[in-house]
Amino acid sequence: PPCAAAPPLPACVSRGDRRKLLACFLGTGCAVPSKHRAPASIYLHAFDSGGVLLDAGEGSVGQLLRLFGPKGAASALRRLRLIWISHAHAD
């Protein structure tokens, strides 16, 4: 056949449930913010278990406000379990 069958997903992925973890791409842009793209930042929302902020680029809090609203963003920030900075940022 022209395409081989995809390998099965690992059990830890196949048992995943979108109600347990939500990946929120707060920004996927470069070092300079633009009107349409914020600098790189990802928030992993684990609901009752808290959250993880990966590469908190400029404007991350503003993006959380847009995504969750004032009360939801405040809750997300209070419940952060980890902030991971993989490299130096301009700010």
Side-chain angles (χ1 to χ4, degrees), residues 25-41 57-60 63 66:
F25 290 84
L26 304 176
T28 59
C30 60
V32 179
S34 74
K35 182 177 179 180
H36 302 287
R37 291 182 70 191
S41 183
E58 296 172 41
S60 294
Q63 293 295 81
R66 285 181 200 80

Side-chain angles (χ1 to χ4, degrees), residues 21-62:
L21 182 66
L22 176 66
C24 306
F25 290 84
L26 304 176
T28 59
C30 60
V32 179
S34 74
K35 182 177 179 180
H36 302 287
R37 291 182 70 191
S41 183
I42 301 169
Y43 175 67
L44 300 176
H45 184 52
F47 301 92
D48 293 336
S49 299
V52 174
L53 188 58
L54 306 173
D55 285 331
E58 296 172 41
S60 294
V61 172

Side-chain angles (χ1 to χ4, degrees), residues 6-17:
L9 291 172
C12 61
V13 174
S14 64
R15 288 191 310 259
D17 185 342

